[in-house]
Amino acid sequence: MKIHIDGRLYDKDDAKVSVFDHGLLYGDGIFEGIRAYNGRVFCLREHLARLFNSAKGIHLELPWSKLEVETAILDTIRANGLKDAYIRVVVTRGVGDLGLDMRKCKRASLIVIADKIALYPEAVYKKGLELVTSSLRRTSPDQLSPSIKSLNYLNNILARAEATRAGAHEAILLNQQGHVAECSGDNIFFLRDGRLYTPPVWSGILEGVTRNVVMTIARQTMNLEVLEEIFTCFELYRAEEVFVTGTGAEVIGATKIDGRVIGDGTPGPVTKQIIELFRAYANKNGTAIYQEANAPA
Ligand code: PXG
């Protein structure tokens, strides 16, 4: 495996960062998780836009243009001969001293990892996920904004660990007001009376790229009304269908939440249709990685 760090490709064992990097010392940095399907990078522009907005949010000046980051991403995928991939882009504050002062970090570092994707087993798409509400709240927008995809994921990791210990797949995090925000690494939707509901960005969530694509598919292809509204867990319990969206998960039904069976306990017809439409869309759209002649088999 070849890994990109600051303009050079390294073998996996040689891909290293300094112990003085503030990304390591303080979680001072940002990231993106991106997927490539069938030789195309999915929603690359949207991920780059979010990366640059996250950078702005943490006062991190990026010494590269969007095109340069895009080139680094595409080069790394090509160097690994991948057509389907999970791509992790990490930008750290760079090397500084042991203090908090970001001015000591003279240059941000760019890391790109392109790997095969570790998918949820197909059985999970058929059966649906079990979710539990975490005791931890999503960081509120007046703290570290949840719309910034920062390297501080400990809150989400601890929430996910609660789910794991409860024998569930994913954790739901509420916002500081007790409304449903999102899962530890996915956005959440529910269906009632033919309408889809999902929490608004301002209520304290990451504005998921998959979320936005699913909202467009639901509105434009399925003619569904999609409402961004705040709601509580009870609305999920009594929903007809619930599903989560994310780059890793794509779209997966949630069939049990806090011990309550959702709908008839299997992913519903709308969820199944969105899964199919999303997969078809993801397989056709995106930034081409290879010219036809150079594509790996
Ligand atoms: N909410 C949070 C908190 C996330 O971290 C999403 C929603 C979904 O956003 P996208 O843009 O992917 O539709 C995320 C992103 C993983 C993994 O390995 C997933 C994320 C972050 C880190 C790791 O599954 N999800």
Side-chain angles (χ1 to χ4, degrees):
M1 189 200 293
K2 295 285 183 194
I3 292 159
H4 174 111
I5 306 176
D6 293 329
R8 275 186 60 188
L9 288 166
Y10 297 85
D11 286 323
K12 187 176 176 181
D13 289 342
D14 302 324
K16 292 173 181 164
V17 295
S18 165
V19 294
F20 288 96
D21 192 308
H22 279 208
L24 176 70
L25 287 174
Y26 295 115
D28 186 352
I30 53 176
F31 75 105
E32 281 295 321
I34 311 174
R35 259 172 97 156
Y37 294 89
N38 195 28
R40 293 172 193 276
V41 182
F42 187 60
C43 290
L44 183 53
R45 296 282 132 72
E46 289 80 359
H47 283 289
L48 286 172
R50 190 168 66 186
L51 183 77
F52 277 68
N53 283 331
S54 292
K56 193 179 237 180
I58 67 163
H59 290 291
L60 178 56
E61 205 167 306
L62 302 185
W64 323 284
S65 64
K66 280 187 186 146
L67 185 62
E68 284 171 307
V69 177
E70 173 172 334
T71 302
I73 291 170
L74 295 173
D75 284 348
T76 309
I77 305 170
R78 287 184 201 119
N80 289 285
L82 295 166
K83 284 174 77 175
D84 293 279
Y86 183 81
I87 303 130
R88 176 61 56 90
V89 181
V90 181
V91 179
T92 72
R93 184 79 62 183
V95 173
D97 64 17
L98 291 177
L100 292 174
D101 188 350
M102 63 170 70
R103 292 173 302 182
K104 298 286 164 50
C105 304
K106 293 301 176 207
R107 195 182 157 88
S109 264
L110 173 67
I111 299 165
V112 184
I113 307 166
D115 201 355
K116 295 202 177 68
I117 3 166
L119 298 169
Y120 273 111
E122 191 56 31
V124 176
Y125 291 89
K126 293 253 147 54
K127 285 189 66 180
L129 298 174
E130 178 173 354
L131 311 179
V132 293
T133 303
S134 172
S135 68
L136 295 155
R137 299 291 175 96
R138 191 74 170 94
T139 50
S140 82
D142 59 349
Q143 300 162 13
L144 176 64
S145 170
S147 298
I148 295 172
K149 206 160 162 60
S150 84
L151 292 181
N152 284 260
Y153 253 59
L154 204 43
N155 204 43
N156 301 48
I157 287 167
L158 292 175
R160 174 73 69 91
E162 279 188 342
T164 306
R165 258 181 291 126
H169 298 98
E170 246 290 22
I172 296 170
L173 290 106
L174 307 180
N175 68 12
Q176 302 291 319
Q177 287 72 39
H179 297 119
V180 172
E182 59 182 334
C183 295
S184 72
D186 307 281
N187 293 111
I188 192 160
F189 289 76
F190 76 85
L191 179 82
R192 197 171 69 222
D193 296 332
R195 293 189 184 91
L196 274 180
Y197 296 83
T198 196
V201 174
W202 62 260
S203 70
I205 62 166
L206 183 77
E207 185 174 357
V209 168
T210 318
R211 172 187 182 273
N212 287 344
V213 171
V214 162
M215 287 169 72
T216 303
I217 288 174
R219 283 173 177 150
Q220 295 184 1
T221 311
M222 300 172 73
N223 246 329
L224 285 176
E225 204 176 328
V226 184
L227 301 165
E228 293 178 82
E229 285 184 10
I230 51 172
F231 54 85
T232 64
C233 279
F234 180 59
E235 301 302 332
L236 296 177
Y237 304 157
R238 68 191 184 110
E240 289 146 20
E241 302 185 25
V242 176
F243 61 83
V244 304
T245 66
T247 295
E250 300 179 316
V251 182
I252 308 191
T255 47
K256 200 172 186 191
I257 302 178
D258 296 333
R260 281 83 162 178
V261 172
I262 307 306
D264 70 358
T266 64
V270 172
T271 302
K272 282 193 203 149
Q273 200 188 351
I274 293 177
I275 291 173
E276 257 179 49
L277 289 170
F278 179 84
R279 284 183 174 171
Y281 183 85
N283 270 292
K284 281 208 305 278
N285 293 279
T287 306
I289 302 164
Y290 305 96
Q291 297 190 304
E292 299 294 340
N294 304 328

